Amino acid sequence: MNGLKNAGGALVARLALFGERLQTQLHAHPRRIAAAVAAVLMTGGSAAFAVASLGPDPADLPVRTLTESVASLADGHELSELTDLQSFSLYRSETTRPSDTAETLLQRLGIADPQAAAYLRADDQVRQNVLGRAGRLVSAETTPDQQLLKLTVRWAPDEDGTFRRLVVERKDGRLATRIETGKLTASPRLAGGVIRSTFFAATDAADIPDSVAMQMADIFQGEVDFRRSLRKGDRFAVVYESLEADGEPLRAGRVLSAEFHNDGKISQALWFQENGQKGAYYTLDGKSKRQAYLNFPVEFSRISSGFAMRLHPIQKTWRAHLGTDFAAPTGTKVRTVGDGVVSFAGVQNGYGNVIFVDHANNHTTVYAHLSRIDVRKGQHVDQGDTIGAVGQTGWATGPHLHFEFRVNGQQQDPLTIAQATDAARPISKAARPAFDKLAAQMRVELNAGDQLFTTASAR
């Protein structure tokens, strides 16, 4: 009984002490206690809730500041060195367009540099070789604030295996221009596709360059009628050169090998050149594929008027059109369709600037309305050589090439001449082992390409 009384007395003493502390807290922090009570009332007493701390307010606690020295990461470096550590360059690439001005080119490159734009507008080398020139590869190096440090433009004007490099570079705050010559490097590319509508639609879908597609049309012109005999599902594979300048693909080169599946028939071709001789295309078993004439004297063009009766665009009378017109932009290269000798190169009546080339068997080809003439009378030309450029001189209402094929002076349909065969020189016995080795390698590559692209197109 006495123990119970003692315990009760101790409990009363503790409650009294707690009451005193609670009263003290109520006087010291009335707002905090009121907020806690309000929270309890809002819960209705039926849910769990948090009780505000009845301890001392942190704002009333003493504050002590500690200071400790830390070694600087910049110790031992000059300010200029620290600035250099933060600098970096940005690199961008583009392709020139015929409508380019200095401002539009720099804008596509992400460059905001009025000084550089003014320099490009005024520089003769830039105006002649960059502005308004289509398809030239451009790379730029800039500062983080979009100021031009270096502009490099690359292009290959000739077929001599070299390229030009125009460089505009900032040194000591001033821009300067120089032009250099470099050597193109060739690397093989494998491509292929399946015919859905036309051959050129298939090559476009496969990202095959137009020049490669035209070479394939020339190579297989004696076996495949690309206008009438193609079937949906026909397929092809090709290995060609990618010509690179400073490691950047600049343009496509020669077709090295090709294979075409047309209506169940397989045609193959391989480029081979013996020492000291001109290269040519052969079947993989060594037979020459060379035709006497090429189908087209102009690459990347369309036939705008064929060998038939037509209304003359200038004289407005119906008359026989004794040739074929190929529509193409002014300046497009014109090539001779066969080996021969230039018998005339100059101006002649309605033909304007015109070239006549005499071939074997009393055959003559005519190339009219040219914007320029690149050969002279008496000059020997080989099949595929550039002899001039498309224009609209003479009786022409727009830029195009008028092409004729004559036999004993009489005009014939030019689109039939490609079927004429050519007695090409066979591969010599000495070169045969090298040819067979190359043919075996190309068989493997073409088979791999055919399987790869056929499988991809079936998906």
Side-chain angles (χ1 to χ4, degrees), residues 6-26:
N6 292 336
L11 177 59
V12 171
R14 289 180 182 179
L15 289 174
L17 179 61
F18 176 77
E20 291 176 359
R21 290 181 178 178
L22 179 58
Q23 186 177 6
T24 302
Q25 293 294 331
L26 284 171

Side-chain angles (χ1 to χ4, degrees), residues 220 223 258-260 266-270 282-284 289 446:
F220 295 119
E223 304 162 83
E259 180 177 87
F260 208 104
I266 301 176
S267 300
Q268 295 177 320
L270 169 66
Y282 299 85
T283 62
L284 296 190
K289 296 185 70 65
L446 291 173

Side-chain angles (χ1 to χ4, degrees), residues 1-9:
M1 188 68 178
N2 291 332
L4 181 59
K5 289 181 179 181
N6 292 336

Side-chain angles (χ1 to χ4, degrees), residues 214-225:
M214 288 298 300
Q215 289 181 67
M216 292 180 66
D218 287 341
I219 292 168
F220 295 119
Q221 65 178 355
E223 304 162 83
V224 180
D225 187 337

Side-chain angles (χ1 to χ4, degrees), residues 349-365:
N349 299 326
Y351 284 129
N353 293 330
V354 63
I355 298 172
F356 288 71
V357 178
D358 291 340
H359 310 278
N361 303 318
N362 293 320
H363 293 177
T364 300
T365 51

Side-chain angles (χ1 to χ4, degrees), residues 188-228:
R189 293 284 179 91
L190 174 64
V194 177
I195 305 296
R196 301 300 182 198
S197 55
T198 68
F199 172 61
F200 289 102
T203 56
D204 286 345
D207 292 327
I208 295 174
D210 288 343
S211 62
V212 173
M214 288 298 300
Q215 289 181 67
M216 292 180 66
D218 287 341
I219 292 168
F220 295 119
Q221 65 178 355
E223 304 162 83
V224 180
D225 187 337
F226 286 89
R227 292 181 298 157
R228 291 185 290 265

